Amino acid sequence: MTSVQTTTDPGREPSNVAQAATGVTRAPLAWLPTRTDLVAAAGFTAIAVYVLGRQWRAPASGYLVESGQDQRMWEWFFAVAAHSVTNFHNPLGTVLQNYPQGVNLMANTAMFGVSLPLTPVTLLFGPTVTWTLVLTAGLAGTAFAWYWLLSRYVVDSRAAAAVGGLFCGFAPGMISHANGHPNFVALGLLPLILACVIGLARGAGTRTTVLLGVLVAAQILLGEEPLLILAIGFGIFTVAYLAGHPRLALPTIAAALRPLLLAAAIALTLTAIPLWWQFFGPQSYQFIDHGPMGNDLKALLQFPAQSLGGMLSPGQDVAINPTEYNAYFGWPLLALVAGAAVWLRHSPTARAAAITTAVMCVLSLGAELTVGRDGTGIDLPWSWLERVPLLESVLETRFAMGAIPAIAVLLALATERALRQRAALGPWLALLLVALVPLVPTPLPSVDRAPAPAFFTDGTWRNYVSDGSVVTVPLPRPEDARALTWQVDADFGFPLAGGYFVGPVGPDKVAKYGPADRPTALLLAQAQKSGLVPRVTDAERAQAVEDLRFWHADVLVLPPGKNAAVLRRTVQALIDDPGHRAGDVWVWDVRRQVP
């Protein structure tokens, strides 16, 4: 990579195309870590272990309480990837759940970039250990990667870079996603991608182009949505930066366009098969309609629940769920960011970062401004973008995640300036503590999960399964996906009807969470929810037989659980069979009834 002369004046206009393209006015340093870098990495790792400390107390059986059913789904993804490797199956799709239609795993962010390489860990220690390891390494690795980028391309001070890296790795959105979304936690490749883009804008050669293509391909196999959000955020940053230097815009584009296109071609070539499978393979879909999923305005100003500030000053619950606290920067931090933007107003980089922060936060508010869960009738920019291909499947609340690195840039730049201007150091550090201490995360709550029914763990299921599926009562679904764990414990010896995944429904192939709803599955779920045995008609009995045939069912299995007696009587009425106990479950062998 070529060098650029360092300048300490944050307001000086960059003297060449490379600087204009990146918003950087100092020379890049070596890629290799220094002793200070290792200390920073150790510190970030210690914080990540602290955040997930309760999960590490039982890494093979712990369950993050706020994950809902997401932990079960991700553990299943990790386990089925290892199963595919050891059995030489195609890892991109499977019929082990949602039998017989199956699941398009590439369209379900199964994170092949970690699930496949970590197959030995999953096989030796189980998918829960893999899950815990990925989350911990994801938090620490993301913090270090942004620290590395900031220290090489934005600031000279390692301490200032550490402030930015700390925020990037442990911002409220990162902590929230650590409950259940590793694809939004393991983001360490994103800063490396930006480093390559900066290098190419500075005239770096073919090796950097190839490296960029490989890194983008790897990120596609980790998570496409974070990559899309990063691209949008960096695009806004670049436009905002070049708007102040319009005479350099065309030379910058000319210098970067060809290597970027080549890198894109390399990435698409490397991921051609997975991407084809995702968009055109079995159980692919066009888009998923989430409905309105924008941030409430209060989500920008309040402290997250899983933080010191959230404990001492809880706000109104305006989040989608505990895994989607994508903003929650808190008013002190936003006030500090605004102040830093004014203080650094002569820095082109700071101005671009401030604009990026504002735009990404506005996009995260969705199509209509809501305050305290009340609509205001005010249309926002997302209302013009929500039907754009690729964007239509993004949860708009997550655009706030794109503001995190922009905020980190401002914090790093301001910290470095305070370190140089000693008189400002004390006030700046005091304000930084006021802004960041309320966001200090509390350890994520974790419990030991109940063991799987012995029917699955001791092999009793083998007496009831030939070549069809197991239908649990009720069927696994997004509200209760325990059966996925039981299937893993049985070493994937049978396919499951139903499941927890994203798949297409109807001729338009619009996606939903879970399988297409079969009448019998809905009836069983409603019986469990209501606690009432439904009145079963001949039509419903006929429908049950049809649904069992659709699922190629061998056996229905009712484990202990909520309203189990109601469910048992419902199944008995549906298939006119009393069933019998098999250890700790009730079973109905339907192989003769459902040819």
Side-chain angles (χ1 to χ4, degrees), residues 7 21 45 92 180 189 225 275 309 329 500 517 530 532 542 582:
T7 175
T45 302
L92 301 176
L189 291 186
E225 194 173 347
L275 288 176
F329 301 122
Y500 182 19
D517 295 319
S530 67
L532 301 173

Side-chain angles (χ1 to χ4, degrees), residues 567-588:
L567 289 169
R568 177 167 56 87
R569 293 198 296 272
T570 301
V571 174
Q572 289 171 340
L574 277 173
I575 64 173
D576 195 25
D577 183 340
H580 63 274
R581 291 196 66 88
D584 52 356
V585 302
W586 277 82
V587 297
W588 290 264

